[in-house]
Amino acid sequence: MAHHLCVIPGDGIGQEVIPCAVEVLQRALPDLAIVEADAGWACFQRTGSALPEETLARVTACGAALFGAVSSPKHKVEGYRSPIIQMRQRFDLYANLRPTRILWSQASQMIGRPQPVDLILVRENTQGLYAGRERMQGDEAIAERVITRAASERIARVAFELARKRERKRVTIVHKANILPLTDGLFRDAVRAVGAGYPEVTIDEMLVDTAAMMLASKPAQFDVIVTTNLFGDILSDVAAVWGGGMGVAPSLNLGEGMAIAEPVHGSAPDIAGQGIANPCGAILSAALLVRHYWKLADVADRIERAVYGTIESGVRTPDLGGQATTREVAAEIARRI
Ligand code: NAI
Ligand code: MG
């Protein structure tokens, strides 16, 4: 059975890094069937829609998509909505997986003696403060933070299923239930209840501010982190520093029978068009799709080994201190597949 993928490069460096990820994927997965689709700011200016119906139809037909990045207008533009946020909602992509694995050479520059960081942050992707319930009431600007038991349980299942298959089998619940006893109390208790069905997995919990400090100072202690939407957004960027920063950080939006992989970075207008964007984040995102959606762990392992091997060999873009171009890094990764 062929593997179907909808490819949406988007704006800026999305146009540069996504073709690299496609090239590597095709090398690793010869039966890949690809369709391209359009989304983003340039698409909005051309067609009046940042996410045309045709793109949604193609993603639906494929089940899997690889999304680059889009530029957002600096000020509110009538009719423009972020395509990735629209797709997360439309396809109910409720889990956002953001793994970080340490780059030894990068880390040794930063802290001298690197610790073996290998963690995965599982972020609830549909509610919390991003539920879209913001309003003005008199002179008060109010944002509602929505947590349900059902959504907390399903994100917990994703976290425990991941942890069960990992070596350390540990889940850390990150919350702020001391200040938010209803919302985060519900989240924590629902996650713990699901965890009771996984006796082989160790559960602990941490307040979000402590977790931020620990991720910045002692990241090696974490295995799987499960948390709510906003906390996950912020903490995953802290964690990403250990993996080499924005150019390397991958993510996967996962729902029932659908997934969209996307590098964590944006369209990077400051370097777009120069041929120096790091393609590793896009390629590692593709590997997440291979691992968690198509369930081809051996293929994902090969892609990840090729990426980390390339970085450690010194073939790096300028964001990682190297002099290689986007194409040179991609070619070296493809060669190692
Ligand atoms: P950004 O991630 O595009 O760039 C931040 C910094 O990281 C820049 O200095 C950039 O050059 C660098 N960088 C990012 N990716 C890189 C890569 N692959 N290789 C080397 N360096 C890289 O974030 P920024 O500047 O805040 O946003 C730029 C635009 O992207 C905005 O319009 C923003 O709305 C959009 N954006 C889109 C996202 C998405 O589509 N998921 C996510 C974040 C931002
Ligand atoms: Mg973010």
Side-chain angles (χ1 to χ4, degrees):
M1 193 192 70
H3 295 89
H4 293 272
L5 179 67
C6 181
V7 172
I8 308 170
D11 299 314
I13 63 167
Q15 295 284 341
E16 300 169 50
V17 298
I18 293 303
C20 298
V22 168
E23 176 190 337
V24 170
L25 262 184
Q26 282 174 322
R27 184 69 83 94
L29 211 58
D31 71 345
L32 193 66
I34 287 176
V35 293
E36 273 223 30
D38 209 359
W41 179 237
C43 175
F44 178 79
Q45 288 174 305
R46 208 169 44 247
T47 69
S49 168
L51 184 63
E53 280 301 322
E54 180 56 30
T55 297
L56 287 167
R58 289 182 190 183
V59 174
T60 307
C62 289
L66 178 60
F67 179 88
V70 295
S71 301
S72 327
K74 286 208 173 64
H75 306 286
K76 189 170 167 55
V77 170
E78 220 35 64
Y80 182 90
R81 282 184 64 213
S82 159
I84 190 67
I85 293 188
Q86 282 189 63
M87 286 195 288
R88 284 174 184 164
Q89 290 169 352
R90 171 82 167 241
F91 299 125
D92 197 22
L93 303 172
Y94 61 88
N96 194 270
L97 310 187
R98 297 195 169 191
T100 298
R101 196 180 296 165
I102 201 158
L103 287 186
W104 290 84
S105 39
Q106 177 94 353
S108 58
Q109 280 170 18
M110 291 192 293
I111 56 166
R113 195 158 42 83
Q115 305 160 279
V117 180
D118 181 7
L119 63 87
I120 182 160
L121 191 142
V122 179
R123 163 184 169 194
E124 203 291 319
N125 220 11
T126 62
Q127 42 183 226
L129 263 179
Y130 293 4
R133 298 207 197 165
E134 230 190 342
R135 63 177 194 278
M136 293 303 300
Q137 193 169 303
D139 59 359
E140 291 185 328
I142 299 172
E144 286 176 334
R145 186 166 181 274
V146 181
I147 305 282
T148 65
R149 179 171 297 278
S152 305
E153 286 175 352
R154 67 179 179 172
I155 196 69
R157 276 192 291 279
V158 172
F160 285 103
E161 281 299 319
L162 283 171
R164 184 168 78 76
K165 295 177 207 130
R166 290 168 65 95
E167 204 178 310
R168 285 180 287 166
K169 306 192 194 320
R170 172 179 290 273
V171 169
T172 304
I173 310 168
V174 171
H175 61 79
K176 192 74 179 177
N178 55 337
I179 306 296
L180 301 164
L182 292 183
T183 49
D184 269 11
L186 173 58
F187 179 76
R188 178 196 54 201
D189 296 347
V191 174
R192 278 199 175 271
V194 170
Y198 294 82
E200 71 276 40
V201 178
T202 309
I203 308 176
D204 58 14
E205 56 182 89
M206 204 178 270
L207 296 175
V208 62
D209 39 358
T210 307
M213 182 192 64
M214 289 299 179
L215 273 171
S217 59
K218 294 194 174 73
Q221 69 183 285
F222 295 104
D223 183 18
V224 177
I225 296 171
V226 63
T227 190
T228 52
N229 209 338
L230 173 67
F231 295 163
D233 190 4
I234 298 168
L235 292 182
S236 60
D237 279 23
V238 178
V241 173
W242 297 104
M246 275 304 139
V248 184
S251 80
L252 183 68
N253 301 287
L254 195 58
E256 298 300 335
M258 286 208 70
I260 301 181
E262 52 159 338
V264 171
H265 63 72
S267 60
D270 55 334
I271 58 164
Q274 297 178 27
I276 55 166
N278 192 338
C280 292
I283 296 169
L284 290 172
S285 300
L288 289 178
L289 199 57
V290 172
R291 184 182 302 283
H292 299 289
Y293 182 71
W294 288 318
K295 312 269 186 215
L296 300 170
D298 50 332
V299 179
D301 285 344
R302 266 168 56 216
I303 298 173
E304 288 174 0
R305 270 200 304 272
V307 170
Y308 290 110
T310 297
I311 294 172
E312 292 305 329
S313 79
V315 180
R316 300 175 188 178
T317 43
D319 58 303
L320 292 180
Q323 281 156 9
T325 64
T326 307
R327 295 296 324 154
E328 286 164 352
V329 171
E332 176 61 16
I333 293 169
R335 192 186 68 75
R336 287 170 179 258
I337 296 288

